[in-house]
Amino acid sequence: MLSIMGFLTIAIFLYLILSKKVSVIVALILVPVFFGLFTTDLNRLGAMILEGVTSVAPTGIMLAFAILFFGLMSKAGLFDPIISRILKLVKGDPLKIVIGTAIIGMVTHLDGSGASTFLNTIPALLPLYERLGMSRLVLAGVVALSAGTMNIVPWGGPTARAASALGIDTATLFNPLIPAMIAGLIWVVFVSYYFGKKERKRIGIQNFQYDFNQELSEEEKKARRPKLLWLNMLLTILTIVALVNVWLPLPVIFMVAFALALVMNYPNPKDQQERITEQATGMVTVVSIIFAAGIFTGVLSGTGMIEAMANTLVSIIPESTGSFMSLIVAITSMPLSLVFTPDAYYFGVLPVLSETAANYGIAAENIGRAAVLGQMTTGFPLSPLTASTFLLLGLARVELADHQRFIFIWAFGTTIVMTIVALITGAITI
């Protein structure tokens, strides 16, 4: 009975969000509460909900202040010299331009936000591509590969969702994946080199200079803090080192880093409030989903639905296949980005996969790491289920079908490369 209730909960949740009948937050809250009423009493249900929300609180806080911190650094112009320098070095050589595009995409995606990456990268580079006659598909594709691979960072949506859904510390989930992520970024540079060679052969090298600063609006220039560049860079490096080494809990690191950055760059309280307000919409949306997901996973776990569903799957899956679940999840993760939204996959599908894998002796973090190697990481800038994909396509002026045909195999290749390295380094096991 519990198994049936669990599958019904997930099925209705997936139907509601994939059909866009209600918002993700509404589905995450109301669906499990409704079915939870049939499995336990009201007081116990309330305790499950509170326990679930409490379990995701650190992740929600980390995401909130990570978005604020990197958004502030971007606004202050931390990444401008890197972008400007790369654009000066590439000149009119398509090969250098495409490789430079990949690096710029990686740098601008440090904030873990696809929308901000595309807004910062595409408008700055599109005039350069058009003046040289380069392919807009190459621009969109390379930025997608860079942003997708970088989206594995702990404050990115997929890793935070996986950690919340499985009740795992974000650092525990992410740190073993660092070698795999680095390998993925190297692969992206290699793919960019391949595209760049083809573009160089097609249009040749031209004598051309491009000034990134001319593309900034007056409002953006006013918010820049060029005199504080080195101080901001030092703070950012220290923050990243502290995150990787877990000097303090991740939420605390981002809270302290953001407060310091805000005071350093914008000492005027009015300016501080403006910077916070600018990031508020994106931050509130993401954090709200994380806390709503706490209700979803809290009810499914507390009522025993997840365990019951896992037992049902174990009775169906052959034991010889079950031992390879980490590998299966990793390989299918990227293509499934075209089928499931991140919330549907991480909060609806992943907990069941994890509990099923546990019956074969596979730890939850193995399944979580396998999932983030492709599900809405390398896959998100190709998925028609994410709004940022259409932002990328709109800014670059390319069609979804053309974009998918052009870059799908290379994005899937990124996941395969990272999966191989993750297996070699022991981040995931079979």
Side-chain angles (χ1 to χ4, degrees):
M1 181 63 180
L2 269 179
S3 177
I4 294 173
M5 295 292 285
F7 283 118
L8 273 174
T9 302
I10 291 177
I12 292 175
F13 166 70
L14 293 177
Y15 168 74
L16 288 174
I17 63 173
L18 292 178
S19 63
K20 299 182 180 179
K21 298 291 185 182
V22 297
S23 69
V24 172
I25 293 175
V26 171
L28 282 169
I29 295 172
L30 295 186
V31 173
V33 169
F34 175 77
F35 282 98
L37 290 172
F38 293 97
T39 60
T40 186
D41 62 82
L42 198 58
N43 288 334
R44 179 61 185 144
L45 181 63
M48 292 175 192
I49 291 171
L50 188 58
E51 185 177 347
V53 172
T54 303
S55 68
V56 301
T59 301
I61 296 168
M62 181 200 70
L63 271 178
F65 284 92
I67 292 169
L68 290 172
F69 176 75
F70 283 108
L72 179 71
M73 284 302 178
S74 178
K75 199 71 177 180
L78 174 64
F79 309 125
D80 290 0
I82 300 173
I83 297 173
S84 183
R85 181 61 179 166
I86 290 172
L87 291 174
K88 285 181 180 178
L89 288 173
V90 300
K91 297 182 180 178
D93 185 348
L95 172 60
K96 294 179 181 177
I97 289 170
V98 179
I99 293 175
T101 298
I103 296 171
I104 290 171
M106 295 171 192
V107 171
T108 53
H109 200 76
L110 271 172
D111 66 352
S113 168
S116 68
T117 298
F118 303 148
L119 285 168
N120 286 324
T121 305
I122 302 298
L125 293 172
L126 184 59
L128 175 60
Y129 272 70
E130 290 186 327
R131 289 177 198 176
L132 293 177
M134 293 177 64
S135 170
R136 294 195 301 273
L137 278 173
V138 171
L139 170 61
V142 170
V143 171
L145 288 178
S146 299
T149 309
M150 283 295 293
N151 210 36
I152 297 175
V153 293
W155 48 92
T159 302
R161 284 177 171 88
S164 298
L166 300 180
I168 300 171
D169 180 70
T170 313
T172 301
L173 193 67
F174 170 74
N175 286 359
L177 285 177
I178 291 175
M181 182 176 169
I182 292 172
L185 294 174
I186 293 172
W187 167 260
V188 171
V189 174
F190 166 75
V191 174
S192 302
Y193 176 83
Y194 170 75
F195 287 149
K197 286 281 285 186
K198 291 183 69 174
E199 286 294 277
R200 179 196 271 179
K201 184 178 180 180
R202 184 174 69 86
I203 63 176
I205 299 174
Q206 304 176 39
N207 184 19
F208 183 80
Q209 293 286 346
Y210 183 71
D211 188 356
F212 164 73
N213 292 321
Q214 290 181 355
E215 304 299 323
L216 296 175
S217 67
E218 288 301 318
E219 182 183 345
E220 289 172 329
K221 290 178 181 178
K222 185 179 178 181
R224 274 5 188 208
R225 295 293 185 267
K227 294 181 180 179
L228 298 174
L229 172 66
W230 291 106
L231 194 57
N232 283 332
M233 188 175 295
L234 177 62
L235 178 59
T236 303
I237 291 171
L238 283 173
T239 300
I240 293 173
V241 170
L243 290 167
V244 172
N245 290 288
V246 197
W247 289 349
L248 289 169
L250 269 59
V252 176
I253 292 171
F254 272 121
M255 291 172 76
V256 173
F258 172 67
L260 289 173
L262 197 60
V263 172
M264 280 167 31
N265 289 276
Y266 306 99
N268 188 309
K270 183 180 178 181
D271 292 337
Q272 293 175 2
Q273 190 58 48
E274 286 180 2
R275 298 289 83 83
I276 294 171
T277 303
E278 285 173 349
Q279 306 297 325
T281 302
M283 182 264 285
V284 169
T285 301
V286 173
V287 174
S288 298
I289 289 174
I290 292 296
F291 281 109
I295 296 176
F296 190 87
T297 56
V299 173
L300 264 67
S301 298
T303 57
M305 290 185 198
I306 289 180
E307 185 178 354
M309 286 186 286
N311 290 334
T312 300
L313 291 176
V314 168
S315 67
I316 299 171
I317 298 172
E319 188 171 349
S320 58
T321 303
S323 60
F324 289 92
M325 279 199 67
S326 295
L327 183 59
I328 293 170
V329 170
I331 292 174
T332 60
S333 60
M334 185 269 165
L336 286 179
S337 296
L338 306 182
V339 180
F340 292 106
T341 65
D343 301 300
Y345 184 87
Y346 285 107
F347 300 131
V349 178
L350 187 61
V352 179
L353 292 176
S354 175
E355 189 65 29
T356 305
N359 287 275
Y360 298 100
I362 302 171
E365 53 263 32
N366 265 275
I367 299 299
R369 291 172 194 146
V372 300
L373 290 174
Q375 221 295 325
M376 286 302 173
T377 49
T378 59
F380 96 85
L382 292 84
S383 175
L385 304 175
T386 56
S388 57
T389 297
F390 293 98
L391 177 61
L392 168 66
L393 299 177
L395 291 171
R397 302 203 306 277
V398 299
E399 296 296 326
L400 176 62
D402 295 334
H403 174 62
Q404 288 178 330
R405 280 195 297 268
F406 180 76
I407 209 66
F408 179 90
I409 190 65
W410 301 105
F412 185 57
T414 310
T415 293
I416 297 300
V417 168
M418 291 193 293
T419 299
I420 292 171
V421 175
L423 286 167
I424 293 171
T425 58
I428 61 173
T429 57
I430 55 175

